[in-house]
Amino acid sequence: MNKLRNFLLFITFALPKAGAKLGGFPLYISLISSLYFMVSGLLYVFKRKIELFFVLLPILLVLVMFLFNQLSFTGNEYYGSGYLGSASVIAYITSFFSFLCYYGALQIKNSEEWKRNLVFIFYILVIYALMQKIFGDYKVTIPGITANYQDAITPDFLAGKNNMIWGIGYLKATSTYQNGNLFGANLLLIGFAVISNFIVDNKKVIIPISLLCIVVLLTASVSIYIGLIAGLLWMFFTSKNNSGRSIIIFLLGILFLSLLLFFVFTTDNVFSEIIRERLFNRDLSEGSGRIEKINEYLEMVGNNFWVLINGMLFYDRKFDEIYEVLPAAILQIFGLPLLVYYIWFLAVKLKAIVKSPYMLPFIAYFTASLSDGAYWLPPTATNLFILLGLCTLWNKKVKHNEIIN
């Protein structure tokens, strides 16, 4: 069982698109991994009454939503089959309930071994992304392994997944995730989890930080840039070693970065083209269409207050999904009660690690998710809660060692 769990963990982190599609349905090994950790989490929860409450409450709220849809007294906005298709409804519910993977991860017995494994996976993802840019995005693709088989044999499949920046003809670095934002969101989680362990084990973090920064830049995602900056700032300002020497080093780092940026912008290179195109040569005020979707949602709430409470998972009229912005997406699809629940669950579970370096991946990720956290695209939700479970285990181990010493 331990070998199976290790295999599934490796796939979901490193090769999430390994597999094929059958009639358009993805048969990925990472989906089996997600299901495994969700079921494992349920078995863990059934043995603990307090945790069982955490699971039963959202299930009850979703059932109330469904019954409200069928017994609605607010008119035809809710009564009926709903605008979203059954596949979308299942996908949203599955992603939301992926928090069960947190409980599944708490049962990992060899968590210390996964400190080393995660470093190995991080380097796989980084090296593969760099190989994409050096040798060509499609030349390094392995059908059925680094991309699902059907996509891998389709010409220009990466460009068709909203990865192409047409202004400069640049294809985002996607590594084994096939999507720049999806890869970037998961790289923040995995990369900062690796850096957290390096900090705890008193190892030098310059190499993983440097690689993380370079590859995040190659994803050409502003949301991921913001998450990276948030993580780096949190890491510095919460460091227990912020002596005068470390502040001087930080200021020297700022100076070095300024000189590096000056070199980037005064020479012809891919980094300067990406930064100019993604930050300076585009209108960020509309948030790539996100603001328009949010305004449409607010207008719907003004017309029907129940949209705010009951969500739009079973809404019976056409609407734009704000799936990019995680808090807004949960509010829109599941309603205010489930958004409050989601924040409450995370607050309770993150409380155990909030004063440790293990907060790093979650600060970075949730900052990025204010704009685009790729949460509704598998396997981000799964990876998020598996890593939350692992970080909780690692932090408990650190506290245990401190007590013994």
Side-chain angles (χ1 to χ4, degrees):
M1 186 61 71
N2 202 42
K3 289 182 178 179
L4 173 63
R5 186 185 289 118
N6 284 346
F7 173 73
L8 292 175
L9 266 179
F10 175 80
I11 292 295
T12 195
F13 288 141
L15 302 169
K17 296 302 179 75
K21 289 183 178 179
L22 183 62
F25 183 82
L27 296 175
Y28 302 156
I29 300 175
S30 60
L31 293 181
I32 298 173
S33 178
S34 299
L35 181 62
Y36 171 85
F37 280 98
M38 289 177 74
V39 172
S40 178
L42 268 177
L43 296 176
Y44 177 92
V45 164
F46 282 139
K47 300 175 184 177
R48 292 160 179 81
K49 292 181 179 179
I50 295 178
E51 303 298 345
L52 187 59
F53 172 75
F54 272 111
V55 176
L56 292 179
L57 179 59
I59 291 175
L60 177 62
L61 290 173
V62 170
L63 288 175
V64 169
M65 287 171 60
F66 177 75
L67 291 174
F68 185 93
N69 177 55
Q70 299 305 315
L71 304 173
S72 176
F73 52 84
T74 63
N76 59 4
E77 287 90 349
Y78 273 103
Y79 183 75
S81 59
Y83 169 69
L84 295 176
S86 57
S88 295
V89 172
I90 292 171
Y92 272 120
I93 291 177
T94 302
S95 292
F96 187 89
F97 281 92
S98 63
F99 69 83
L100 290 169
C101 292
Y102 163 78
Y103 297 112
L106 290 181
Q107 299 186 83
I108 296 174
K109 304 299 182 184
N110 58 333
S111 62
E112 286 297 307
E113 179 185 331
W114 270 95
K115 281 188 175 183
R116 298 185 294 274
N117 293 345
L118 203 62
V119 175
F120 179 61
I121 289 169
F122 172 70
Y123 287 130
I124 287 177
L125 296 176
V126 164
I127 291 171
Y128 187 85
L130 293 174
M131 287 174 62
Q132 282 184 305
K133 298 295 108 187
I134 295 170
F135 299 108
D137 298 272
Y138 297 99
K139 289 183 179 179
V140 297
T141 300
I142 306 173
I145 303 296
T146 62
N148 77 73
Y149 184 79
Q150 279 76 7
D151 281 349
I153 61 175
T154 302
D156 297 327
F157 77 95
L158 288 172
K161 293 179 179 288
N162 296 320
N163 290 317
M164 180 62 79
I165 301 173
W166 298 104
I168 56 175
Y170 175 78
L171 196 60
K172 297 179 180 181
T174 61
S175 193
T176 59
Y177 282 74
Q178 296 186 23
N179 178 283
N181 282 39
L182 179 64
F183 169 52
N186 283 276
L187 189 64
L188 290 179
L189 286 167
I190 294 170
F192 275 115
V194 168
I195 291 167
S196 298
N197 278 321
F198 272 45
I199 292 172
V200 171
D201 295 336
N202 293 316
K203 296 180 180 178
K204 295 186 181 300
V205 298
I206 186 64
I207 292 177
I209 285 179
S210 300
L211 290 173
L212 180 63
C213 291
I214 291 170
V215 177
V216 162
L217 183 59
L218 292 174
T219 66
S221 169
V222 176
S223 305
I224 308 306
Y225 293 174
I226 294 172
L228 173 69
I229 293 169
L232 293 175
L233 290 175
W234 179 272
M235 182 175 66
F236 176 77
F237 287 110
T238 60
S239 173
K240 295 179 180 179
N241 299 316
N242 275 345
S243 60
R245 180 171 174 268
S246 63
I247 292 174
I248 291 173
I249 292 174
F250 176 73
L251 293 174
L252 288 174
I254 294 293
L255 177 62
F256 173 76
L257 181 61
S258 300
L259 293 173
L260 182 63
L261 288 175
F262 176 78
F263 172 77
V264 165
F265 285 114
T266 54
T267 58
D268 186 18
N269 58 81
V270 66
F271 296 108
S272 63
E273 289 186 3
I274 292 172
I275 293 172
R276 286 194 183 97
E277 183 67 20
R278 302 306 285 170
L279 294 179
F280 303 129
N281 296 342
R282 61 188 295 215
D283 182 8
L284 297 175
S285 61
E286 290 300 315
S288 299
R290 293 165 176 79
I291 303 299
E292 184 179 345
K293 293 178 181 179
I294 291 174
N295 288 336
E296 181 199 67
Y297 168 69
L298 293 175
E299 184 178 342
M300 288 182 170
V301 170
N303 295 330
N304 184 351
F305 178 74
W306 286 106
V307 168
L308 177 66
I309 304 301
N310 199 51
M312 303 178 76
L313 186 67
F314 301 113
Y315 196 68
D316 198 29
R317 292 189 176 184
K318 183 179 179 180
F319 63 92
D320 287 325
E321 301 161 67
I322 319 171
Y323 57 82
E324 304 98 338
V325 185
L326 180 56
I330 296 177
L331 179 63
Q332 180 194 36
I333 299 300
F334 291 97
L336 186 60
L338 275 166
L339 174 62
V340 171
Y341 166 82
Y342 187 83
I343 295 172
W344 175 55
F345 178 88
L346 285 171
V348 170
K349 301 309 177 186
L350 286 170
K351 184 180 178 181
I353 61 173
V354 72
K355 293 183 179 180
S356 76
Y358 292 113
M359 270 297 289
L360 262 176
F362 308 104
I363 291 295
Y365 172 75
F366 285 116
T367 301
S369 74
L370 294 175
S371 176
D372 196 334
Y375 182 85
W376 306 107
L377 296 174
T380 305
T382 301
N383 288 357
L384 169 65
F385 287 105
I386 289 176
L387 282 171
L388 179 56
L390 279 171
C391 286
T392 302
L393 290 175
W394 291 328
N395 193 49
K396 284 182 179 178
K397 183 75 173 178
V398 170
K399 288 184 176 180
H400 177 70
N401 291 338
E402 288 175 351
I403 291 172
I404 292 176
N405 296 330

